[in-house]
Amino acid sequence: MATDAKDVAAQARSLWDRLSRRQIVTLAIVIIVGISTMVFFLVRPRQSDMALLYTDLSVADAADIAESLKEMRIPYELSRGGTAISVSSQNVYEARMSLAREGLPRDSTVGFEIFDKTSFGATDFTQKMNYRRALQGELTRTILQLKEVEAARVHIAIPEPELYTDREKPTSASVLVKLEKGTVLTRGQVEGIVRLVASSVEGLAASNITIVDVEGNTLFSGDDGSQTGSMTLLTMTQLEAKRLYEKDLERSIESMLTQVLGSRQVVVRVNANIDFDHTEQNSETFQPLPSGYGVIREEARIHDVKTASSAASPGGIPGTASNVDIMTSYRLDDSSGDEVSSEERTEDVTRYEISRVVEHTVKAPGVVTGLSVAAIVAAPVTEERLEAIRRSVGAAVGVNPDRGDTIIVEAMEFAVEDEEEQELVPATDKLEQPQSFGETLQRNLKYIIPTLIALLFVVVTLIVLVARRARCIDRQATQAMKQAMATLAATEENEDEAESAEKEALERPAVKSEVAARIISAWLTDNKG
């Protein structure tokens, strides 16, 4: 066994020695190209000719579609945990039309097409339930048009009419939404859903609508005409405004520090306390003028003169007439010689206007009452530089220590691996790529096997050609040796015969110098052995 191996090795070495430099270079190029092609097909990303047929399927729909594709003899592949089906790109449209003819995939949402086929035996209760189902289905389809909503369910409660209006219960509705990963509904979108549902159902008020997500978070809620729903929307607006303000400060600080410390060398978080109270204040202040007096509003002077006599007046019948007569005689009878007295009085009246100040103050919401800033920079950083960063950040965001604002800057070592690149892979319509080498090798066998066969065929062909050429060279060398031996023998016997043999040798094909050198080398090797 060892002898056979040595013979094979010797033959291979002898074959390699017989190859010319051009043949060796050609063989090396062929081998390198073959190995490179095989490695390329192994390492390159798989560009499959499979196209996505349906995605986000339920388990029941996926099973029915797979069974139908088997019956149609269309090869398929399952991915994303069985919720996506892919077929050959040439059969995508044909498969979709065939499956649509069979009613696949089945949409669990039923709209107003439920009334396309009417039944004469349907009761009034059945008609009402079908109408409710159709209305819920149409609202669900409309809500699903939002790109942030992955799935939705709408439930409408329409009470039976009562004889007395004060006993009637209001119509209510609830909406359950499932959002796409990494997305949120804005305040405007939530309010749009509320108005859409309220406008689509007769007698439904916005305050009787509740919207929740699959995580149990209440996006909108209202109670029997109360303002809970409006307050919920207001709270969402305030939270959005608060978060936008904090994000703006974070971006401002990070952009400033990035220019100094470099990219991915700083992390900043800001927490802002914002007062969203709307305050109105009326104040009325009374204050005197600098002179101590006010502004003269009204000024009047009163002059009063009184005259009286000491003599007794004649009496009379008590009454108005007698008094009038007495007064007349009192005023006119001045020559009687009685004593007369008079009184004169002058009065000045000045009225001043009181000075006052009336103020109406409206305090707009959104006043920042406190800031907390935390910044982490990549270590190592000296304490002096940390203090400089702390002062710069405080000045950039307007930190006020008297208001209770805080700022913290710390130096820490950052993680080596990039966590941002290892987050969730965005959902695309491409097929899942195999991760292990075994799966990659198995999927690319249809490319590897033909490549190996072609490479083997080329190598065998080159070996056969080289061997055939080597045999031809050996045959020519043998003939040349025989001719040379015959020529030498003839020279020893007869010079004439040598001359004739030499002529014959000249007439025959000449032996190449390379062949002669190989023959001599072979002789020397045999003699040494």
Side-chain angles (χ1 to χ4, degrees):
M1 194 69 179
T3 305
D4 295 338
K6 291 181 179 180
D7 294 340
V8 172
Q11 292 177 0
R13 190 179 300 106
S14 176
L15 182 62
W16 178 263
D17 293 337
R18 293 176 182 177
L19 295 177
S20 63
R21 181 177 299 176
R22 182 179 300 176
Q23 293 173 345
I24 293 174
V25 172
T26 303
L27 183 60
I29 292 174
V30 171
I31 294 175
I32 292 173
V33 170
I35 294 176
S36 301
T37 304
M38 185 171 59
V39 171
F40 171 75
F41 282 112
L42 282 174
V43 177
R44 74 180 183 91
R46 178 173 172 262
Q47 301 292 337
S48 176
D49 58 348
M50 304 294 285
L52 195 63
L53 182 63
Y54 291 112
T55 184
D56 296 331
L57 295 172
S58 62
V59 178
D61 287 345
D64 294 339
I65 292 175
E67 188 66 26
S68 300
L69 292 177
K70 287 181 181 178
E71 294 176 359
M72 291 185 289
R73 296 183 179 180
I74 296 178
Y76 65 91
E77 290 183 2
L78 295 175
S79 59
R80 300 183 186 177
T83 60
I85 296 182
S86 303
V87 297
S88 175
S89 57
Q90 301 176 354
N91 300 325
V92 171
Y93 303 107
E94 179 183 358
R96 285 180 180 173
M97 290 188 293
S98 301
L99 293 173
R101 186 169 55 249
E102 298 179 7
L104 294 175
R106 296 183 178 88
D107 188 3
S108 58
T109 304
V110 180
F112 282 108
E113 66 272 7
I114 194 173
F115 294 105
D116 292 343
K117 297 180 180 180
T118 59
S119 177
F120 293 101
T123 62
D124 184 60
F125 176 76
T126 304
Q127 292 291 342
K128 290 181 179 178
M129 292 302 297
N130 288 338
Y131 173 74
R132 188 180 303 180
R133 289 180 59 195
L135 188 57
Q136 293 175 167
E138 293 296 334
L139 287 174
T140 300
R141 291 174 179 175
T142 306
I143 294 173
L144 287 176
Q145 299 302 314
L146 296 175
K147 61 181 181 180
E148 290 85 2
V149 179
E150 180 181 349
R153 291 291 300 273
V154 179
H155 303 279
I156 301 175
I158 304 177
E160 294 293 332
E162 297 288 344
L163 181 61
Y164 300 99
T165 56
D166 57 349
R167 295 183 180 179
E168 288 185 354
K169 297 180 179 179
T171 304
S172 60
S174 59
V175 181
L176 176 69
V177 294
K178 180 182 180 182
L179 304 179
E180 296 284 351
K181 293 182 178 179
T183 61
V184 293
L185 289 178
T186 63
R187 182 195 62 83
Q189 290 174 325
V190 174
E191 187 175 358
I193 295 176
V194 172
R195 297 185 181 276
L196 170 69
V197 178
S199 303
S200 302
V201 182
E202 183 180 359
L204 178 59
S207 58
N208 295 326
I209 299 176
T210 302
I211 301 178
V212 297
D213 60 8
V214 292
E215 302 295 335
N217 301 318
T218 302
L219 304 181
F220 182 86
S221 176
D223 290 324
D224 299 329
S226 65
Q227 299 299 323
T228 306
S230 300
M231 293 302 295
T232 303
L233 292 178
L234 181 60
T235 303
M236 292 179 61
T237 305
Q238 294 173 355
L239 291 176
E240 289 178 4
K242 178 177 181 294
R243 193 57 190 153
L244 288 175
Y245 178 73
E246 293 172 349
K247 283 292 185 182
D248 184 65
L249 291 181
E250 291 173 2
R251 286 193 296 267
S252 176
I253 297 173
E254 288 183 355
S255 62
M256 179 183 66
L257 296 181
T258 299
Q259 297 181 6
V260 178
L261 302 176
S263 178
R264 299 181 183 274
Q265 298 295 316
V266 60
V267 177
V268 180
R269 294 294 180 267
V270 177
N271 182 26
N273 296 327
I274 303 177
D275 184 9
F276 290 100
D277 295 338
H278 181 83
T279 305
E280 293 187 5
Q281 181 180 0
N282 294 324
S283 63
E284 188 172 355
T285 305
F286 295 90
Q287 60 183 9
L289 293 177
S291 61
Y293 300 97
V295 180
I296 298 175
R297 178 182 180 184
E298 183 180 354
E299 186 176 5
R301 174 171 291 184
I302 300 173
H303 183 71
D304 187 14
V305 178
K306 293 182 180 181
T307 303
S309 177
S310 61
S313 299
I317 301 172
T320 305
S322 61
N323 292 333
V324 172
D325 294 338
I326 293 172
M327 289 298 296
T328 303
S329 62
Y330 169 73
R331 293 182 179 178
L332 297 177
D333 192 6
D334 293 336
S335 60
S336 58
D338 296 334
E339 184 179 356
V340 178
S341 64
S342 64
E343 181 181 356
E344 184 178 354
R345 183 175 63 89
T346 302
E347 181 180 357
D348 293 331
V349 178
T350 303
R351 294 180 181 179
Y352 294 90
E353 184 69 30
I354 300 174
S355 177
R356 64 176 182 174
V357 177
V358 180
E359 293 182 356
H360 179 71
T361 304
V362 178
K363 183 181 178 183
V367 178
V368 179
T369 59
L371 279 178
S372 298
V373 183
I376 299 177
V377 297
V381 179
T382 61
E383 187 63 30
E384 292 79 5
R385 197 169 189 182
L386 285 177
E387 183 63 27
I389 294 174
R390 190 177 295 108
R391 291 194 303 268
S392 301
V393 172
V397 300
V399 173
N400 186 3
D402 298 335
R403 192 175 54 186
D405 298 350
T406 59
I407 178 171
I408 298 175
V409 179
E410 299 288 346
M412 298 183 183
E413 294 184 358
F414 283 16
V416 178
E417 59 180 357
D418 193 357
E419 297 179 356
E420 295 179 358
E421 297 180 357
Q422 297 179 359
E423 290 181 351
L424 295 177
V425 179
T428 59
D429 292 339
K430 296 181 180 180
L431 297 176
E432 295 180 352
Q433 300 293 336
Q435 300 296 330
S436 63
F437 179 78
E439 293 180 356
T440 305
L441 182 62
Q442 184 178 1
R443 289 179 179 271
N444 290 278
L445 281 177
K446 59 182 179 181
Y447 304 109
I448 297 174
I449 293 176
T451 303
L452 291 177
I453 293 175
L455 181 61
L456 181 62
F457 176 77
V458 172
V459 173
V460 170
T461 303
L462 289 176
I463 291 175
V464 170
L465 292 176
V466 171
R468 184 178 298 176
R469 185 175 179 181
R471 286 196 296 269
C472 292
I473 293 175
D474 292 341
R475 192 180 299 112
Q476 292 178 1
T478 303
Q479 292 177 0
M481 286 296 299
K482 290 180 179 180
Q483 293 175 4
M485 294 298 293
T487 302
L488 291 174
T491 302
E492 293 177 355
E493 292 177 358
N494 193 349
E495 292 181 357
D496 296 336
E497 294 181 358
E499 292 178 358
S500 61
E502 185 177 358
K503 291 180 181 180
E504 292 179 359
L506 293 174
E507 293 176 357
R508 294 179 181 177
V511 180
K512 296 181 180 181
S513 59
E514 296 179 358
V515 176
R518 292 180 181 177
I519 293 172
I520 294 172
S521 176
W523 283 351
L524 294 175
T525 303
D526 293 339
N527 292 332
K528 290 181 180 179

